[in-house]
Amino acid sequence: MSTMTIAIDGPAAAGKSTVAKKVAEKLSFIYVDTGAMYRALTWKALQEKISLEDESALEQLLKQSDLKLVQSDQGQRVMVNGRDVSDEIRTNEVTNQVSIVAKHKHVREEMVNRQQQLVKEQGVVMDGRDIGTHVLPNAEVKIFMIASVEERAERRYKENVEKGFSSDLEQLKEEIRKRDDLDSNRETSPLLKAEDAIELDTTSLSIDEVVDRIIDIVKKTEEQED
Ligand code: CDP
Ligand code: CDP
C-alpha cells in the first residue's frame, strides 16, 4: 500500500477540502482536515468563554481536549471530548474568529504534533495552511491551491444558498480577505507556498478538473520515484 503524503495548502475557500477528500477517496488514502482541528478548538474556547487572545489558556484547553477526526457514513465527523461538533464548527461565529486562535505559537506547536501523528502506514492527503511548510515538509506532493477572491466568495455564497442560509456576497468577500490577511501575516507558520509546491489556480476549473490534475501529478511523482 502506498504511504505517499500529499500536502494541500491555500487561502480560504480555494477548494482544498472538497478536492482533498476526493483525491483521498480515489487513492484510498486517509484525509486529514487540519482546519477542522483549529475550528474545534475555537468552538471549545467560545463555549468555555476563554479569551481568544489568551495563548496559555488556549494551549491548556487544547492539551485537555480529546480532539478526533472520525470517518463515518456521513463523511468525516469532528469530535471534541466525545461530542460531535461537525456542524457547530462551521458557524460564522467560529469561521470569523478561528484565525485569532490559530495565530498562537504554542497552539500551533501542539496542533502540528497531533497532525504529524496522524500519518501512519497508509497514504495521506492533508489540507491546511502550513502543511507543505511545517507539518509535512517532506511530503512527496505539495499543492498550493489558489483562486481569485471573487470566485472564492461566489463559491461560499452558492454553498450558503444551497444550505438555505441567507448570505451577502460583498460581506463574504470582506470576511475571506480579512481571514487570508490574518493567516498570511501571522508570525508563526503563516500561509505560504512551500518552495517545492506546485501552484494550482482553480479560478476557472471545476472540482473534477482540479482532482484530475492532482491525480496526474501524483502519478508522475510515483513514476519518477520508481
Ligand atoms: O475551509 P476554510 O478555508 O474556510 O478554512 P479551514 O481550512 O477550515 O481553516 C480555518 C482556519 O484555521 C484558517 O483560516 C486558519 O486560520 C486556520 N488553519 C491554520 O492556521 N493552519 C492550518 N493548517 C489549517 C487551518
Ligand atoms: O477547503 P477550502 O476552504 O479551500 O474550500 P472548500 O470548502 O473545499 O470549497 C469551497 C466551495 O467551493 C465548495 O462549495 C466547493 O464545492 C466549491 N468548489 C468549486 O466550486 N470549484 C472548485 N474547483 C473547488 C471548490
Side-chain angles (χ1 to χ4, degrees):
M1 187 179 274
S2 174
T3 54
M4 183 183 262
T5 48
I6 303 175
I8 303 185
D9 291 299
K16 301 179 298 297
S17 56
T18 310
V19 166
K21 230 176 276 170
K22 285 184 177 257
V23 168
E25 258 168 40
K26 287 207 173 196
L27 298 172
S28 301
F29 282 13
I30 56 164
Y31 163 55
V32 179
D33 176 356
T34 64
M37 298 171 73
Y38 288 96
R39 285 173 178 272
L41 177 62
T42 305
W43 172 82
K44 186 74 182 149
L46 291 169
Q47 282 270 308
E48 306 272 326
K49 304 210 176 342
I50 289 173
S51 161
L52 305 187
E53 293 292 348
D54 188 341
E55 176 162 16
S56 69
L58 290 168
E59 185 191 5
Q60 200 60 19
L61 180 69
L62 176 57
K63 289 198 166 146
Q64 290 162 358
S65 300
D66 177 23
L67 224 158
K68 282 204 177 75
L69 303 176
V70 182
Q71 304 301 329
S72 84
D73 295 344
Q74 307 129 282
Q76 194 163 87
R77 309 300 293 175
V78 185
M79 314 292 293
V80 177
N81 300 339
R83 174 171 169 178
D84 186 339
V85 296
S86 312
D87 295 329
E88 280 116 315
I89 64 166
R90 306 280 163 200
T91 58
N92 281 341
E93 192 192 10
V94 172
T95 300
N96 292 332
Q97 298 183 85
V98 58
S99 295
I100 304 171
V101 170
K103 73 180 176 180
H104 299 297
K105 184 169 184 270
H106 294 111
V107 167
R108 300 200 68 82
E109 282 171 356
E110 173 69 14
M111 288 290 192
V112 170
N113 266 333
R114 292 187 185 202
Q115 290 154 7
Q116 287 171 336
Q117 280 167 26
L118 295 172
V119 182
K120 301 223 169 78
E121 276 85 54
Q122 202 181 346
V124 63
V125 185
M126 200 180 279
D127 83 319
R129 303 291 186 288
D130 59 342
I131 312 305
T133 52
H134 286 87
V135 183
L136 305 174
N138 298 321
E140 283 89 347
V141 172
K142 295 184 186 177
I143 306 289
F144 195 74
M145 204 179 277
I146 57 164
S148 71
V149 70
E150 287 76 18
E151 172 64 20
R152 292 186 282 133
E154 282 283 349
R155 289 177 184 173
R156 278 274 186 267
Y157 181 79
K158 274 193 203 138
E159 209 176 87
N160 288 344
V161 171
E162 275 161 26
K163 286 182 188 158
F165 300 155
S166 66
S167 196
D168 180 293
L169 190 60
E170 283 310 311
Q171 193 183 337
L172 278 173
K173 227 183 272 179
E174 212 30 62
E175 287 169 358
I176 286 175
R177 272 206 193 98
K178 192 168 166 207
R179 194 143 60 95
D180 286 351
D181 185 51
L182 286 171
D183 290 343
S184 305
N185 293 309
R186 67 178 172 232
E187 260 174 52
T188 313
S189 51
L191 166 66
L192 200 68
K193 176 175 170 291
E195 266 180 29
D196 50 350
I198 297 172
E199 186 168 293
L200 204 54
D201 186 343
T202 75
T203 305
S204 53
L205 296 178
S206 71
I207 293 167
D208 287 340
E209 284 172 330
V210 182
V211 171
D212 288 348
R213 292 216 184 173
I214 296 179
I215 298 283
D216 275 351
I217 294 169
V218 169
K219 283 192 185 141
K220 284 200 185 104
T221 308
E222 271 172 344
E223 280 163 18
Q224 280 164 9
E225 287 181 351
D226 280 344

